[in-house]
Amino acid sequence: MSTKIIPVAPFDFVVFGATGDLSERKLIPALYHRLQVGQIVHSKEAPCRIIGASRSKMSRKAFQDFARKAIQEHVAPEDIEDETVKTFLSLLDYISIDATTDAGWQELKEMIGETPEDEARIRLFYLAVGPTVFPPIVDRLASFGLNSSNSRLVIEKPIGRDLESAQQLNDTVGDAFGEHQVFRIDHYLGKETVQNLMALRFANIMYEPVWNNAHIDHVQITVAETLGVGTRGNYYDKAGAMRDMVQNHLLQLLCLTAMEPPARFDANAVRDEKLKVLRALTPIGTDEVKHLTVRGQYRAGATDGEAVPAYLDVIDAEESNTETFVALKAEVSNWRWSGVPFYLRTGKRLATKVSEIVVQFKPMGHNIFGRVDDDLEANKLVIRLQPNEGVKQYLMIKDPGPGGMRFREVPLDMSFADSFDVRNPDAYERLIMDVVRGDQTLFMRRDEVEQAWKWVDPIIDAWEETNQTAVSYSAGSSGPPKSFEMITRDGRSWNAIDGNS
C-alpha cells in the first residue's frame, strides 16, 4: 500500500540555531526526505529556500557541507540519492546573525526579500535554540518587519519552566505574532501511532462504546529512555523529568487518550477537547504528593551492555535532588473517567527505550467456563509509539487441541512496518509540513501549555515543601522500587519495560 503525496506551496524556511544538534539530526533530514518524495517542489517558477541562521561565522558552502554530512549520518543509505542531495543543497543559504543584537538582521530581511511578492510567500521561522533567546529573536522579527501575515513561528519546548515564565513567553510571542501563526511543537504528537490513536477511537465504532470507566480499569503511559542526560546535564539539572517530559509529552498523550470526540477534526476543536482534560485533572498537593508521585535519580549501572556513570557524575554539581525519573497517579474527574487511574512514568537510563500507552480493560464480569479463573486475562490495548510503532489488542482464545477449554492470551498485531509498504516518516517531517500548510491540529495552543503548568507547578512545589527526595535506581533497571509499590498498592502492576509488549 502506498500513500498519496500532496505537494505544499513554496516557502522560505529560516532555522535559528541551524548548526545545532536538532537541526543536524532532525530538521535537515526531515526536509531532505520531503523533497525526495515530492512534497517539497522546487523550481525556478516556485523556489523554496532554507536559510540557516546562527552566530557562527560560516559561508554558504560550509553550511551546505554541514547539511551534506547530516544527510549522510542521519538518512538511511538506501534513501540517499545523489541528484536529490544536489537539489536539496541548492536550496540552502546561510547568514550569521546575533539574536541579542541587531547584527545580521537587516541582511536576513534583504535575503528573504521585501517586495510584495516576497511577503506573500509562506515564511517559517524555526527557533531551534535555547529558550533564553526566544524573546530577543521574536522581538527582532517584529522590529525588522519579518512577521508578515504569512509568517509562522515554530518554538520548541521548554515553553517556560513554570506557569509564570510560560505566560511571560507567551505574552512576548503574542505581541509579535497572532495565535494562529504560532506553532508550539511537541514531536510526540507527530508520531504515526499518536495520530492512529485518534483514528482508532474516532474512525472505528467498536472502541467508543467501551472507552469509559464502565469497561476500562486503568491506563498506563510510559516513556522510557536508555540514554542519560548527555551534554544537557547543566540544563537538565535545572529542569528535571517533571518539567522536561511530564508537563508536555506525557500530558499530551494523556489528553489524546482521555479527550471527548471533537465535533470535527480541526485544530481548535481538537485542542478544545484536550484543554477540557487538563482542566479536569485532579490537583495533587502536599497532602497527596508522597502517595501519588515517585521521584527517582539514576546511579551507576549498565544499559545496552555497557557500564554507565551515575547522574551526579555527569553534571557540574556534587549533589542534586533533580529527578531523572517520575511516576505518578493522575485522575481525570469527569463522567467518562471518574474512578479510572492514569499511571504515568518516564525516566532516563532505564532497561529499554520504549514509549507506549496501555489501556487495561476490566475483567469479565462472569466466567462461564468453570474453574479456569486464573487463565482468563483481562483484555488490554497496547499502543506502541516507539520503537516498532504499532497497535496490539490482546484477546483470550482457546488453546488449540483436545482436552477441554484451555485459554491463551494472544495479540491482534498491527505493525505499521509490516502493514504498509512505505517508509514511516519521522515526526518532524509531518510537523514541518503541517506548519507550511498552516494546520495547527498537532500543535499546542497557549491555553493548553498554561493549563498543564497549572497542574504541574503544585506538584513541584509540594515536593519542595515535603522535602520529597529523588530515590536512587540503578541504570539499566525498570526504575525505583517505590514506583512499583505505588501501583501495587492499588492491586495493579506496570506493563513490563522489555520492548516486547
Side-chain angles (χ1 to χ4, degrees):
M1 182 182 295
S2 61
T3 57
K4 182 179 180 181
I5 301 297
I6 302 174
V8 296
F11 59 88
D12 292 332
F13 187 94
V14 182
V15 187
F16 293 94
T19 58
D21 183 66
L22 178 62
S23 176
E24 176 189 346
R25 291 187 304 107
K26 293 295 184 180
L27 304 184
I28 288 173
L31 290 163
Y32 168 81
H33 276 301
R34 291 299 94 194
L35 177 70
Q36 181 189 33
V37 299
Q39 194 162 22
I40 295 175
V41 179
H42 175 71
S43 66
K44 290 182 179 180
E45 296 75 25
C48 289
R49 293 181 295 183
I50 301 167
I51 301 172
S54 75
R55 290 199 303 177
S56 304
K57 299 293 184 182
M58 182 180 288
S59 66
R60 181 189 184 198
K61 175 65 166 55
F63 183 57
Q64 289 173 329
D65 291 341
F66 172 84
R68 186 192 302 274
K69 184 172 181 289
I71 292 169
Q72 291 170 345
E73 293 184 357
H74 301 289
V75 173
E78 61 268 22
D79 292 325
I80 298 177
E81 302 167 350
D82 291 343
E83 281 303 313
T84 306
V85 172
K86 182 178 178 181
T87 301
F88 180 77
L89 296 180
S90 73
L91 310 185
L92 304 185
D93 211 332
Y94 183 84
I95 187 166
S96 177
I97 200 166
D98 189 339
T100 60
T101 72
D102 289 347
W105 286 91
Q106 183 60 38
E107 290 82 353
L108 175 61
K109 184 174 182 178
E110 293 170 0
M111 183 180 289
I112 293 176
E114 303 179 64
T115 69
E117 291 77 13
D118 293 326
E119 292 193 355
R121 286 168 58 84
I122 297 170
R123 297 176 179 177
L124 281 67
F125 297 105
Y126 199 116
L127 275 55
V129 294
T132 57
V133 292
F134 287 0
I137 290 177
V138 171
D139 287 342
R140 283 170 175 78
L141 287 172
S143 62
F144 280 86
L146 292 169
N147 56 339
S148 65
S149 60
N150 284 323
S151 295
R152 287 148 197 184
L153 182 73
V154 186
I155 54 179
E156 288 266 355
K157 74 173 184 71
I159 301 173
R161 57 173 283 106
D162 53 24
L163 176 60
E164 182 180 2
S165 58
Q167 289 173 329
Q168 290 173 350
L169 176 58
N170 282 330
D171 286 343
T172 299
V173 170
D175 288 340
F177 293 88
E179 181 64 27
H180 67 284
Q181 296 175 284
V182 181
F183 293 75
R184 298 173 186 85
I185 193 168
D186 183 337
H187 70 274
Y188 267 69
L189 300 187
K191 292 181 179 295
E192 192 71 40
T193 323
V194 173
Q195 294 168 80
N196 260 298
L197 171 59
M198 289 191 282
L200 196 73
R201 288 193 59 193
F202 306 134
N204 297 284
I205 198 170
M206 66 184 74
Y207 283 108
E208 182 57 28
V210 297
W211 208 261
N212 53 57
N213 55 7
H215 302 281
I216 292 176
D217 179 79
H218 71 278
V219 177
Q220 298 180 25
I221 300 175
T222 297
V223 178
E225 302 176 274
T226 56
L227 296 177
V229 297
T231 59
R232 301 170 66 229
N234 291 334
Y235 155 75
Y236 194 92
D237 200 50
K238 296 179 178 64
M242 179 65 82
R243 291 185 175 96
D244 190 54
M245 294 294 291
V246 176
Q247 187 273 340
N248 39 75
H249 297 329
L250 272 74
L251 286 186
Q252 285 294 310
L253 296 179
L254 186 155
C255 286
L256 291 174
T257 305
M259 63 187 256
E260 294 296 317
R264 55 196 171 278
F265 189 68
D266 68 25
N268 280 325
V270 170
R271 295 186 295 181
D272 286 346
E273 297 304 333
K274 288 162 60 184
L275 180 62
K276 291 177 184 177
V277 175
L278 292 170
R279 288 174 172 167
L281 286 172
T282 303
I284 297 176
T286 53
D287 293 337
E288 303 87 15
V289 71
K290 284 192 174 182
H291 303 290
L292 300 182
T293 72
V294 175
R295 307 174 76 193
Q297 185 184 104
Y298 68 83
R299 60 178 183 267
T303 58
D304 298 327
E306 295 185 6
V308 296
Y311 173 75
L312 286 177
D313 294 331
V314 296
I315 62 171
D316 296 332
E318 293 184 0
E319 59 182 33
S320 172
N321 195 38
T322 298
E323 73 283 355
T324 61
F325 176 98
V326 171
L328 59 85
K329 176 183 176 180
E331 295 189 9
V332 180
S333 299
N334 61 20
W335 281 98
R336 181 184 292 267
W337 295 111
S338 179
V340 178
F342 285 73
Y343 297 100
L344 279 58
R345 62 175 169 170
T346 182
K348 292 187 175 297
R349 291 297 188 199
L350 295 177
T352 302
K353 178 181 179 179
V354 59
S355 298
E356 66 182 17
I357 302 167
V358 178
V359 179
Q360 180 67 61
F361 291 91
K362 291 183 176 181
M364 293 293 296
H366 175 64
N367 177 14
I368 69 170
F369 298 104
R371 300 175 59 84
V372 289
D373 301 76
D374 293 340
D375 295 333
L376 291 181
E377 297 287 342
N379 302 140
K380 68 179 177 182
L381 178 69
V382 179
I383 302 156
R384 173 65 61 85
L385 280 64
Q386 63 179 8
N388 307 321
E389 292 188 348
V391 178
K392 290 184 180 180
Q393 174 67 72
Y394 285 81
L395 301 172
M396 298 303 297
I397 67 164
K398 178 186 175 297
D399 203 1
M405 296 292 288
R406 297 185 304 274
F407 296 93
R408 178 188 301 181
E409 184 183 50
V410 297
L412 297 178
D413 187 358
M414 189 184 77
S415 166
F416 295 158
D418 296 338
S419 300
F420 300 98
D421 186 22
V422 293
R423 186 187 66 85
N424 191 9
D426 181 78
Y428 279 93
E429 297 178 47
R430 179 175 298 104
L431 294 173
I432 290 172
M433 293 299 98
D434 279 354
V435 177
V436 177
R437 287 189 288 257
D439 184 353
Q440 294 181 305
T441 304
L442 299 177
F443 297 83
M444 292 178 288
R445 203 167 57 193
R446 171 179 181 156
D447 50 5
E448 276 187 85
V449 174
E450 294 177 4
Q451 187 63 44
W453 279 119
K454 288 179 182 178
W455 188 74
V456 165
D457 277 355
I459 298 175
I460 297 173
D461 292 342
W463 283 345
E464 295 179 0
E465 291 175 23
T466 60
N467 296 314
Q468 186 166 336
T469 58
V471 295
S472 65
Y473 63 97
S474 296
S477 70
S478 295
K482 280 193 174 183
S483 67
F484 291 89
E485 294 172 10
M486 181 188 75
I487 194 169
T488 301
R489 284 197 301 267
D490 295 341
R492 302 180 175 99
S493 59
W494 288 111
N495 208 44
I497 303 178
D498 58 10
N500 295 320
S501 60

